[in-house]
Amino acid sequence: MSECIYAIRGATTVDFDSVSAIDQAVKELFFTILDENGITEDEISFVLFSQTSDLRSRNAAAAVRKAGYCSSVPLFCVQEAEINGMLDKVIRVLVQVNHPRKKDPVMVYLNRAEKLRPDLKR
């Protein structure tokens, strides 16, 4: 487990497109990723967010900064590709870690996003 660069994936959903709903969901997702994986922000190279096109009130990267995270970590947010039958109101994240692994990465899927990866259900 000495690999120095690895990624952690996760996703969450919101019930409504609102600033407060997105802020709360992103904060919970990011905190859970850090906590479950035992990593700190100093170990993160960058964070990539995507969100479905039905979420327009807040950029997930802005939400994580507002929550007090990632003041010196590069963040980027893109719109998720639209696919027929896709889950709505989803925020996905990819966290690239640049530090020797402490343990196997724990992927975090919260709320309705658990449907995206039932094989990872906790």
Side-chain angles (χ1 to χ4, degrees):
M1 292 210 209
S2 63
E3 298 170 39
C4 289
I5 297 176
Y6 61 99
I8 301 166
R9 294 181 53 202
T12 191
T13 58
V14 294
D15 293 327
F16 304 99
D17 177 26
S18 71
V19 171
S20 62
I22 293 171
D23 284 351
Q24 181 179 349
V26 169
K27 181 178 180 178
E28 177 188 27
L29 177 62
F30 200 74
F31 171 81
T32 304
I33 287 172
L34 294 179
D35 187 54
E36 296 265 333
N37 286 281
I39 58 173
T40 65
E41 287 186 38
D42 294 341
E43 299 167 317
I44 298 173
S45 298
F46 69 87
V47 180
L48 173 64
F49 290 97
S50 70
Q51 55 194 63
T52 51
S53 63
D54 51 4
L55 297 178
R56 295 185 179 98
S57 62
R58 168 78 83 190
N59 176 303
V64 85
R65 289 226 199 274
K66 182 176 183 246
Y69 295 109
C70 297
S71 61
S72 61
V73 174
L75 304 176
F76 195 72
C77 187
V78 298
Q79 182 177 316
E80 187 72 28
E82 292 189 33
I83 308 296
N84 290 336
M86 67 190 287
L87 191 60
D88 66 325
K89 296 179 184 68
V90 178
I91 301 164
R92 291 176 173 84
V93 66
L94 177 70
V95 178
Q96 181 172 311
V97 179
N98 188 15
H99 190 272
R101 285 188 192 188
K102 300 173 185 175
K103 61 181 185 172
D104 286 335
V106 177
M107 310 307 165
V108 176
Y109 289 82
L110 303 175
N111 303 311
R112 291 181 300 115
E114 291 179 342
K115 294 176 185 176
L116 297 170
R117 293 298 305 266
D119 57 314
L120 299 176
K121 192 167 186 165
R122 298 184 270 157

